Amino acid sequence: MAEITASMVKELREKTDAPMMECKKALTEAAGDMAKAEEILRVKLGNKASKAAARITTEGVVGIHIAADGKLGAILEVNCETDFVARNAEFLALVQQSAKLVADKAPADVAALSTLPLGEGTVESTRAALVGKIGENMSLRRFRRFEAQGNLYSYIHGGAKIGVLVDLIGGDAELGKDLAMHIAAAKPRVLEVAEVDAAAIERERRIAREKAKEAEKSEARQEKDAEKAEETFLKEVVLLEQAFVKNTKETIRQLLKKKGASVATFALYVVGEGLEKKVSDFAAEVAAQAAAAQK
């Protein structure tokens, strides 16, 4: 049997916010498999066991550039250590200049972007100089470039912590803005049902079946619960299946049909999404520094 360490229990607790003992029991039952343990907790505790996955874990901003004709654009995330630097004018200038370079020069990746000319040097030399001046590390994390089939519309929210770029075919500027705002609020993962990972769908069905089984429901009822869970999941993650935030009686698919429009693609960036934030214990750091000074 795999050894269940304190660090494993801590990691699972941070992911799920479940009680410590429940985390340990789940890890034991899962033989140390972290993903399986999280699934076990979801069966027992419901969706609250995965709420930590949506937390913003690092500082920084999302930058967006759209060309004057609305046909070419880019969305870019740049990270830094503190929110204070995320509001710094020079840092924000670096973000916007880099986003424009992505749109104009089509670099293959972040490494290629870093070598592009900027100011008196390159993107990388500008970044390094700013790090030296401010005294805080910063990094270009990711970007996506758009050559629109229709027209590009954007939305920035929460001090540039959330950014959306959407390629809308047909419709008008009001619809484009509404869609970008909807995406920022509802946070879909994909455009169409066909893009959803089959394994993710099966996981939701499996969890629903297990919960129904624990409630001693019949096999037929277990399957109905699984179907309902799949339907709910798809409405959460697929843009076209979501209820429009400004009119929840119609879906995005229905809204687009009514307007004679369609969405070619979209990008949603949330600062720090998928990254782990370093949590420091200030009191412990002070104590450690005091001990080191005494030595």
Side-chain angles (χ1 to χ4, degrees), residues 74-91:
I75 183 169
L76 166 79
E77 178 185 349
V78 183
N79 298 128
C80 55
E81 295 181 44
T82 65
D83 187 57
F84 177 78
V85 168
R87 299 193 300 270
N88 178 276
E90 290 180 280
F91 174 77

Side-chain angles (χ1 to χ4, degrees), residues 134-148:
I134 295 176
E136 180 172 313
N137 193 25
M138 55 194 70
S139 61
L140 283 69
R141 181 189 177 197
R142 55 178 174 166
F143 64 78
R144 183 173 168 187
R145 183 176 181 270
F146 284 67
E147 291 185 10

Side-chain angles (χ1 to χ4, degrees), residues 92-282:
L92 294 174
L94 171 65
V95 174
Q96 289 305 130
Q97 290 164 354
S98 298
K100 186 176 187 303
L101 281 171
V102 170
D104 292 345
K105 303 298 183 181
D109 50 30
V110 171
L113 170 61
S114 297
T115 66
L116 293 177
L118 181 62
E120 297 180 357
T122 63
V123 171
E124 172 55 26
S125 66
T126 302
R127 183 202 68 84
L130 195 54
V131 169
K133 180 178 180 179
I134 295 176
E136 180 172 313
N137 193 25
M138 55 194 70
S139 61
L140 283 69
R141 181 189 177 197
R142 55 178 174 166
F143 64 78
R144 183 173 168 187
R145 183 176 181 270
F146 284 67
E147 291 185 10
Q149 296 181 40
N151 287 287
L152 295 175
Y153 298 96
S154 66
Y155 180 67
I156 292 287
H157 180 75
K161 300 300 183 186
I162 299 173
V164 175
L165 195 54
V166 57
D167 181 359
L168 177 66
I169 302 172
D172 54 24
E174 182 180 1
L175 178 60
K177 182 180 178 181
D178 280 348
L179 283 171
M181 291 177 68
H182 169 92
I183 292 167
K187 297 182 176 58
R189 300 182 196 173
V190 297
L191 176 62
E192 298 269 12
V193 170
E195 298 174 47
V196 181
D197 182 12
I201 295 175
E202 181 51 38
R203 184 182 187 217
E204 297 301 316
R205 294 180 65 93
R206 184 169 62 249
I207 289 169
R209 288 194 198 98
E210 289 299 321
K211 291 172 73 173
K213 187 176 181 180
E214 286 198 354
E216 299 183 347
K217 295 182 180 181
S218 66
E219 288 188 7
R221 186 61 195 178
Q222 290 174 30
E223 192 56 33
K224 285 184 179 180
D225 284 3
E227 291 172 2
K228 185 176 180 180
E230 177 180 343
E231 181 181 349
T232 300
F233 176 65
L234 292 177
K235 287 180 179 179
E236 290 175 353
V237 303
V238 179
L239 174 60
L240 295 181
E241 305 304 319
Q242 290 181 333
F244 181 34
V245 292
K246 292 180 70 173
N247 177 13
T248 56
K249 292 182 179 180
E250 68 178 351
T251 65
I252 295 298
R253 186 187 301 278
Q254 292 167 336
L255 171 66
L256 290 168
K257 184 177 180 180
K258 182 174 68 178
K259 299 288 187 178
S262 63
V263 173
T265 188
F266 72 91
L268 165 67
Y269 279 6
V270 179
V271 169
E273 185 177 40
L275 298 177
E276 291 188 13
K277 186 174 183 178
K278 180 182 178 181
V279 178
S280 60
D281 185 332
F282 181 71

